[in-house]
């Protein structure tokens, strides 16, 4: 399967997840979905920038994606604790 499809499916799932919990007013779970959405979109954007030859921008987006992935793991861990 093409990696663009995998990114797209992940982005749609994270977006629907966060929108569902926003409508239910469960903002803790919505935050988890939004952080995952930011991590996925920044990672896809980094890949796109790298393929266009924009190395500095790709590095910046990959750094942001890593930051959001770490934040996702921390928030998910804290959510499971209590």
């Amino acid at each position: 399967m093409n990696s663009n499809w995998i990114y797209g499916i992940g982005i749609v799932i994270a977006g629907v997840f966060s929108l569902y919990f926003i409508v239910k007013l469960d903002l803790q779970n919505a935050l988890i979905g939004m952080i995952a959405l930011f991590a996925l979109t920044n990672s896809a954007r980094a890949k796109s920038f790298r393929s266009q030859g924009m190395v500095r921008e790709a590095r910046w987006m990959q750094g942001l994606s890593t930051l959001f992935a770490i934040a996702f793991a921390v928030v998910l861990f804290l959510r499971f604790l209590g």
Side-chain angles (χ1 to χ4, degrees):
M1 186 180 261
N2 191 357
S3 65
N4 289 337
W5 278 95
I6 294 172
Y7 276 116
I9 291 169
I11 289 169
V12 168
I13 289 172
V16 169
F17 180 86
S18 61
L19 186 62
Y20 173 76
F21 283 111
I22 287 172
V23 169
K24 286 188 65 166
L25 295 177
D26 185 1
L27 297 182
Q28 292 176 346
N29 285 330
L31 177 69
I32 292 170
M34 286 186 282
I35 292 173
L37 182 66
F38 293 151
L40 287 170
T41 55
N42 284 334
S43 179
R45 201 173 292 147
K47 184 180 174 196
S48 171
F49 284 160
R50 192 170 292 114
S51 71
Q52 294 174 5
M54 295 187 272
V55 178
R56 286 173 90 190
E57 291 84 356
R59 235 185 351 238
W60 174 254
M61 282 297 140
Q62 194 62 45
L64 280 176
S65 176
T66 304
L67 175 74
F68 280 116
I70 292 169
F72 174 77
V74 168
V75 170
L76 194 63
F77 178 73
L78 291 175
R79 179 76 173 128
F80 282 135
L81 282 182

